[in-house]
Amino acid sequence: MIGARVIWIAVAIAVASGFLIGYPAEVGAATTIALAAFVSLITTRELAAKAELRRRPARRPADGLPLEQLRQVDEALAAARASEAGVDRDLRPLFRGIAAMRLARRGVDVDRHPEEAQRILGEELWELVRDEHSRGSNRFAGGVSGAGLQSLIERLERI
């Protein structure tokens, strides 16, 4: 990197030679503009450095939030394994939201394009996330087995 001393020497030589050649007005104007730009640059850097020192630390989401969400998902999965009510109350809304988001990436709306959504999701996952589902009469009576739950999760991940 070129040192400040070298830059000052080069500027001094340029200004002196401009005056000696016979263009004092132009050299004076150019020198004034260059000096103003240099002062602006220094001032801006100093202000930015001071602002950085005063800036509040960036707010991070609470450390407990991801753990709380993980706990809620774990409870939903446990409730779904335990009973049909857990499937309806906890698992269905969780999986429906995930499925809707993943289908939206493909341009498919679960409610507006149910045939396309059913084709992509597959019969078992569609039965779980469809809106017209009637409570109490589904293939998840008694809850979902661990293997069944794993299969549904893998299907969601493939979308």
Side-chain angles (χ1 to χ4, degrees), residues 80-112:
R81 283 191 300 267
S83 70
E84 179 181 355
V87 172
D88 284 335
R89 182 189 66 237
D90 299 318
L91 191 65
R92 187 175 313 282
L94 176 66
F95 276 29
R96 181 171 172 79
I98 294 170
M101 180 188 65
R102 290 183 174 260
L103 288 169
R105 290 180 188 165
R106 295 175 167 224
V108 177
D109 185 285
V110 175
D111 297 320
R112 291 184 182 157

Side-chain angles (χ1 to χ4, degrees), residues 28-50:
T31 303
T32 303
I33 292 171
L35 185 61
F38 184 68
V39 168
S40 295
L41 177 66
I42 291 172
T43 304
T44 303
R45 284 186 174 180
E46 286 180 9
L47 289 173
K50 287 179 182 178

Side-chain angles (χ1 to χ4, degrees), residues 114-134:
E115 296 85 15
E116 181 72 11
Q118 182 177 6
R119 184 185 64 73
I120 294 170
L121 293 174
E123 203 54 46
E124 189 175 18
L125 187 55
W126 173 249
E127 178 67 26
L128 181 65
V129 301
R130 69 189 179 103
D131 199 27
E132 309 89 37
H133 170 73
S134 60

Side-chain angles (χ1 to χ4, degrees), residues 55-78:
R55 192 178 85 184
R56 294 186 335 204
R59 291 187 129 193
R60 294 183 344 188
D63 290 335
L65 185 61
L67 294 177
E68 177 63 22
Q69 290 174 335
L70 184 59
R71 186 188 61 74
Q72 290 172 353
V73 169
D74 185 53
E75 287 176 358
L77 296 177

